[in-house]
Amino acid sequence: MSDVSKPEAEHVPEPFDQVLVRVQAAGQQFVQGDSTAIKDRWSHADDVSILGAGGGQARGWEQVRRSLEGGAGLFREGQVAGHVEVDIIAQGTSGDLSYTTSIEHGKAFMRGHDEPRPVMLRVTQIYRREADTWKIIHRHADALTARA
């Protein structure tokens, strides 16, 4: 009897489109004041960065984590859940990196306001393949303004 080793099962990364669905679901929790799910979608490496819609920036997981928690803290739950749509303009993958550019728009309850407030952002996110999934490594968001 020969000792034939079976090859290990190939590690197939989570498809990028499935990751985007999870990121968008985490974003819905974010605009209701909960940063837990979005933090799970981020890489926890020292090279991550964020240029937040409120004008702040952070580099490295500890700073980015605090930025995400602070950003979520600006939102709150309301009688009706805030909701933000993500319209992807472009996306692509090359090797272990992927990106999306999108418009995020909708309404969310902000702390200190009784009525939901509009959310209109231009967003670029970069992802890196880590283990069997994709993790966010950079986000740049700014307010979408009308052209003059």
Side-chain angles (χ1 to χ4, degrees), residues 35-148:
S35 65
T36 305
I38 200 67
K39 289 187 298 189
D40 288 343
R41 302 312 312 165
W42 273 79
S43 171
H44 294 183
D46 289 337
D47 63 347
V48 298
S49 58
I50 190 168
L51 301 171
Q57 75 253 351
R59 178 168 166 70
W61 172 240
E62 284 306 310
Q63 287 184 13
V64 168
R65 178 188 57 76
R66 288 192 299 270
S67 178
L68 292 169
E69 290 169 354
L74 299 173
F75 296 96
R76 66 175 179 83
E77 290 188 70
Q79 292 176 339
V80 181
H83 185 78
V84 174
E85 295 290 326
V86 178
D87 295 332
I88 294 179
I89 297 168
Q91 72 182 61
T93 299
S94 179
D96 288 337
L97 294 176
S98 289
Y99 75 94
T100 57
T101 59
S102 61
I103 302 296
E104 295 181 2
H105 58 93
K107 292 186 177 184
F109 288 91
M110 305 293 286
R111 297 210 181 276
H113 297 277
D114 293 332
E115 297 296 320
R117 310 283 292 179
V119 174
M120 295 286 291
L121 301 174
R122 300 183 306 173
V123 178
T124 299
Q125 290 192 160
I126 301 173
Y127 301 76
R128 176 172 52 218
R129 189 186 332 255
E130 292 186 2
D132 294 337
T133 191
W134 296 91
K135 296 287 188 168
I136 303 166
I137 60 169
H138 177 73
R139 176 179 170 95
H140 180 186
D142 60 13
L144 177 64
T145 57
R147 286 184 169 184

